[in-house]
Amino acid sequence: MCPADVSRTCPTTGAAPAFAVSLAVVAAYLQGPLSTGGPLSLPAFAALNDSLGFGIVMTSLGVLALESFAAAAALLLGLFCYDAFFVFKSDVMLTVATQIEAPAKFLWAAVGAGADAGGRYPFSVLGLGDVVVPGAFVGLLRELDKEQGRAGGGSEEEAREAS
């Protein structure tokens, strides 16, 4: 039990089980898939990869706060140009997505990629940045909506009813 006068945050009762589960997920992920000599099947490895990626995305969205619409729009425009160049004009993204196994992407089973993928990468891939940046923009818009509701003198419920 933490004393009331301590200025640091005190772990809650659910912190120890959550830490144990996250440690188990990371330990299982680090063993790797069958294709790299590990004990995990590709679907199991993809599920662990996605759960770690989800945690990274949610943590990033909790920490990242955009302060202005102009900054958010510039970030989205930069992401669009970056993706357009590196996905369609270069093989960098393809190489990184298919040859680096790290929880920096979401993996879904590719359509038509059964047990015999025929040398193809057996997953469809979505980078975490393609989730975090638009998510941060949506977070900014949510904050702007909340401020608009207060600036109009009404409650958030009245702002929702007006729109």
Side-chain angles (χ1 to χ4, degrees), residues 110-151:
V111 176
D116 57 339
R120 291 184 30 213
Y121 192 67
F123 298 106
S124 295
V125 178
L126 178 65
L128 299 186
D130 294 329
V131 177
V132 171
V133 174
F137 188 76
V138 169
L140 171 70
L141 295 179
R142 179 180 173 268
E143 292 299 318
L144 290 174
D145 278 348
K146 285 171 50 177
E147 287 181 20
Q148 290 293 332
R150 278 189 247 131

Side-chain angles (χ1 to χ4, degrees), residues 68-160:
S68 71
F69 183 81
L75 192 59
L76 275 177
L77 182 63
L79 178 67
F80 174 77
C81 293
Y82 170 84
D83 274 352
F85 177 76
F86 281 108
V87 170
F88 299 113
K89 297 290 183 188
S90 162
D91 66 343
V92 171
M93 294 296 266
L94 181 65
T95 302
V96 168
T98 59
Q99 294 181 2
I100 296 177
E101 294 303 334
K105 57 194 173 192
F106 287 115
L107 302 172
W108 291 281
V111 176
D116 57 339
R120 291 184 30 213
Y121 192 67
F123 298 106
S124 295
V125 178
L126 178 65
L128 299 186
D130 294 329
V131 177
V132 171
V133 174
F137 188 76
V138 169
L140 171 70
L141 295 179
R142 179 180 173 268
E143 292 299 318
L144 290 174
D145 278 348
K146 285 171 50 177
E147 287 181 20
Q148 290 293 332
R150 278 189 247 131
S155 67
E156 290 182 30
E157 293 161 7
E158 291 172 348
R160 272 186 249 131

Side-chain angles (χ1 to χ4, degrees), residues 36-53:
T36 61
L40 298 173
S41 67
L42 280 178
F45 182 76
L48 290 171
N49 184 80
D50 289 350
S51 65
L52 289 173

Side-chain angles (χ1 to χ4, degrees), residues 16-30 52:
F19 181 72
V21 168
S22 63
L23 195 59
V25 168
V26 170
Y29 177 83
L30 290 176
L52 289 173

